[in-house]
Amino acid sequence: APPMPNVYPPGPPMPGPVPPAPAPGPVPPAPAPDPGFFTPGVLPPPQPVNPVQPVQPVQPIAPPAPPPAPVPVPPDGTLFNGQGQSLLNSHCATWRDQHTSLSVTNQMKKMAKCMGQDCEQSLETGNACRFHDANRLCYAYDSAQQWCAENQPAAASLCNDQGSNWGMPPFGSAAGVDAVEWSPIQNVAVSNPGASDPAVFSCSCMKNCGCSSSKCYCADPTTQPTPALPMGDPKISSTPMQMSSYSNKRGKCTCTCGGQFG
C-alpha cells in the first residue's frame, strides 16, 4: 500500500492580538495618618499638654493625743475611810447610810440636818464646802478640800468642783465669808416613794441664822433663803417668817428640805 501522507489534524486557531490593558485610574489619596501611631518619616501632630498641677504640700500627721493623766490617789483618811466611803459631816453620813430605809419625811429631815452642817462648813474661814462626793455632799475635812483644790483637774472624778466662788482662799477665790456662794442640794431623789409622795425634793437654807417653823434669829435680819425657796411648807404655814437680829448666829445655818426642818 502506498505510504500515508504526513498530514496532521488542524490545531486550535491562533489567538488574536492581546487588547491593551486599561489605563490606570487616578490613585486614591493616602489615608490620613492615625495620630495615635507613629508613621515613619512623618511626625505626629502635637498633642495638647495638660497644665502642670501644683504639688500639694503634704499635711503633717498630727501626733496621737497623750493619754489622760492618771487620777491621783488621796492620802489615807483624806477623802475616804477604810471602807472606801466618803468622809462626810455626821448627818450627811447618816443620810447616805440610812435614807433607803427611812420614811420620806425622815429622808427630808435628815437631809435638812446634813445641809445645815454643810452650810456651816461653807462659812468657816479655815475650811470650805467647794468639793463634794458623788452624792453632792461636802467632804468634811479641810485637808480634803485642800487636796482637791491642789489636784484639779486630774482629781475631778473624785472631787466634784462646784466652783472657785464656793470657797475662800486657799480653797477658792471668794473674797470673804459673805461672798461664798455655797447653795444647798436640789432635786434629791426620794427612796421608795409611795403613791402620794413626791419623786424628788429640794432644800433651802438660811445662812447665819437659827430658825424655827415660824421665826428666824439672824445676824442680819434682812437675810433671804438660799436659794429663794420658802423656808416652811406653804401647806402648814402661810404667814411670813418673823426675823430678829442676833449677832451670835453668825456662822450658823438652818435648812429645810421638802418643807421639813432639820
Side-chain angles (χ1 to χ4, degrees):
M4 294 296 291
N6 192 12
V7 177
Y8 294 93
M14 295 296 291
V18 177
V27 178
D34 186 343
F37 295 91
F38 175 74
T39 302
V42 178
L43 293 177
Q47 300 295 313
V49 178
N50 292 328
V52 177
Q53 299 296 322
V55 177
Q56 298 297 323
V58 178
Q59 297 297 325
I61 299 175
V71 178
V73 179
D76 290 345
T78 304
L79 302 186
F80 307 107
N81 61 20
Q83 290 73 46
Q85 294 176 307
S86 303
L87 291 169
L88 309 173
N89 287 307
S90 59
H91 288 300
C92 296
T94 301
W95 180 89
R96 176 197 62 202
D97 298 338
Q98 300 180 6
H99 72 279
T100 56
S101 61
L102 297 175
S103 67
V104 174
T105 296
N106 284 332
Q107 290 177 52
M108 296 173 176
K109 288 182 177 181
K110 186 58 66 176
M111 179 57 79
K113 290 181 180 293
C114 165
M115 287 296 99
Q117 288 183 318
D118 279 7
C119 176
E120 291 179 4
Q121 181 174 321
S122 76
L123 301 175
E124 296 175 9
T125 56
N127 204 346
C129 192
R130 171 181 176 179
F131 297 100
H132 298 170
D133 74 347
N135 289 317
R136 213 292 222 165
L137 304 177
C138 184
Y139 287 117
Y141 296 122
D142 58 348
S143 58
Q145 297 291 323
Q146 183 70 39
W147 185 88
C148 287
E150 292 174 350
N151 286 276
Q152 292 300 306
S157 61
L158 300 178
C159 307
N160 290 283
D161 187 2
Q162 305 303 310
S164 63
N165 53 359
W166 279 46
M168 292 174 285
F171 314 106
S173 60
V177 172
D178 294 335
V180 172
E181 296 185 8
W182 177 92
S183 185
I185 195 168
Q186 306 295 300
N187 299 316
V188 181
V190 172
S191 294
N192 307 312
S196 61
D197 294 323
V200 297
F201 63 86
S202 295
C203 301
S204 179
C205 294
M206 293 288 283
K207 297 182 180 181
N208 298 307
C209 295
C211 303
S212 66
S213 60
S214 61
K215 191 169 184 176
C216 274
Y217 302 88
C218 300
D220 178 0
T222 64
T223 299
Q224 297 296 311
T226 302
L229 298 175
M231 287 297 297
D233 187 334
K235 296 178 182 178
I236 299 174
S237 174
S238 59
T239 58
M241 186 75 68
Q242 297 181 35
M243 305 292 291
S244 296
S245 178
Y246 272 71
S247 60
N248 65 348
K249 295 301 180 181
R250 179 161 291 278
K252 302 297 183 180
C253 293
T254 297
C255 301
T256 66
C257 293
Q260 299 295 328
F261 279 85

